[in-house]
Amino acid sequence: MGDDKNIGVMVRVRPLLAREKSDSSSLIEMPPQADKGKVILKSRTDKKGDKEFIFDEAIWSFDEKDDHYMDNTSFYAKSGPELVDHFFQGYNVCLLAYGQTGSGKTFTMMGDDNNAEGFIPMLVEDILNYKTRLVSDKINCELKFSYMEVYNENVRDLLYDGKDKKWRVREHPDTGPYVEGLKEFDIESFKDFQKYLKIGNRNRSTASTMMNDKSSRSHAIINLYLKQTKFHKNDDDLEIGKIDSEIISNIKLVDLAGSERLSKTQIYGQQDRMKEGSLINKSLMVLGRCINVLSRKTTNNTNEMIPYRDSILTYILKENLGGNSKTVMIFCVAPLDYEETLQTLNYATRVKHIKTRAKQNQIKLSNIRMDWDEAHKNDSIVESLKEEIEVLNEKLTQYEVSNETEKLSKMISFLEKQLTESKFQNKYLSSKIKEMEYEKQELQDHNRYINSLLRDNLNKEVDLKLQHQNQLVENQLNLLEKQIILNQQDLEVFLNDFSPTSVYT
Ligand SMILES: Nc1ncnc2c1ncn2[C@@H]1O[C@H](COP(=O)(O)OP(=O)(O)O)[C@@H](O)[C@H]1O
Ligand SMILES: [Mg+2]
């Protein structure tokens, strides 16, 4: 079962650069809201040259004063979290940035040296947070990072610091093409990621052209590999339970080389650059050819072969272009270049038709059982094998050796599983302890709060009692006063009526 979906297509237009300021209006328009995904390309010379396109998203980054302007953060917020979800659901994911040199591919993917963070760092940050949250669900995540470039039709590992070496692309029957021996590093924290990214970026080959000093003529591919190990849920809150299943997925993040034609960069006459340029064009050309065939395939059922193997780039991206992957392409365009933008948008239109079929890579693990007696016997088997080797013919020896290898690799995978289990048990318990400490802290805070309430209430009660008594005393005083007045009045009446003679009569 797979999830058929078209490749997501987004177009982003960058702002004017300092050197472009004399020309101030953009040839590209993206009407806000109501026309979601609409891109209009205007011709300065001929009205008939105006073109309209509809894509999944149109990302307006031309003028920050506009309401629908999007910086890297809002662009990420729009499209990043969905990719993270897919990734954790066990789908392969791919994001490719395409466009001419200087159109904003690297700015979008990586950010810049100043303060704009790019899509990739934001994505990794989200993934790391997600990973931490899963610990309390008894899911262990291993995240690995690799970084390579395809340059002159060669793969280069950007995290490899040994002597020059040739990397080969091989194809796995289940998971598709991969680069053999590519270095992969565990990413536990954002610091780890920054460290490896920096090493990789430093190793990227860049050479200057007239168009953009730091422009890169290589394709950069970051791969994030995720293995999620689910442990059985059981009632015991402090035990992780046995391993239940594994989910494996990867994200490829690709910053493609500039798509401009050779003449644009004025590199004619420079032999090396020519060679470089034409080979880059080879990878991009083949990418274009694959995209053409793929988009024809979904519109009319052709039996055409897709020429993935004609270039290294397309071979590596085989699954992401036409296989098991949820794939999104961001097409970056500069605001003042009609010809290049038209080419890019036509290209993007073809990509829109391509469907990929993503499936969740979940593996239910049957319990690997280990027979220790059997394993122990291996020692003697190996011993006797040693003796026999001299007498057995080549064929038989090889057969035995492969049998042994099988046993050993079984043992290794068993031990690896045990190791994962105990490592995760630790991780899980420390997260529990953290949770409990947090709860304890909360209880203490609450306690303090209740105490202060009690104290306040006590004070209030005493106050009330005093007030009440004051009131009582006051009332009595009032009564007394009234009585005195009454008495006085009585006395006065009595005195008025008093006739002294009556006393003597
Ligand atoms: N959305 C954007 N906002 C601001 N500046 C941008 C944006 N996109 C590109 N730029 C600037 O344009 C220049 C070229 O962008 P860059 O990403 O290097 O192009 P590319 O990688 O396609 O060759 C850089 O100076 C970059 O900072
Ligand atoms: Mg770039």
Side-chain angles (χ1 to χ4, degrees), residues 466-482:
L466 276 178
Q467 253 178 32
H468 187 64
Q469 265 166 2
N470 276 347
Q471 193 65 49
L472 280 181
V473 170
E474 218 167 281
N475 287 351
Q476 262 166 0
L477 271 176
N478 280 344
L479 276 178
L480 264 176
E481 253 170 43
K482 272 188 199 138

Side-chain angles (χ1 to χ4, degrees), residues 12 14-15 17 61 100-107 112 212 255:
R12 184 182 199 189
R14 67 153 168 79
L17 304 176
S61 302
Q100 70 180 114
T101 300
S103 59
K105 297 181 297 295
T106 305
F107 183 88
D112 64 11
N212 187 337
D255 187 348

Side-chain angles (χ1 to χ4, degrees), residues 445-459:
D445 288 350
H446 190 65
N447 209 350
R448 227 170 285 139
Y449 172 70
I450 296 276
N451 271 335
S452 76
L453 269 188
L454 268 178
R455 239 191 336 269
D456 282 358
N457 276 345
L458 225 62
N459 286 344

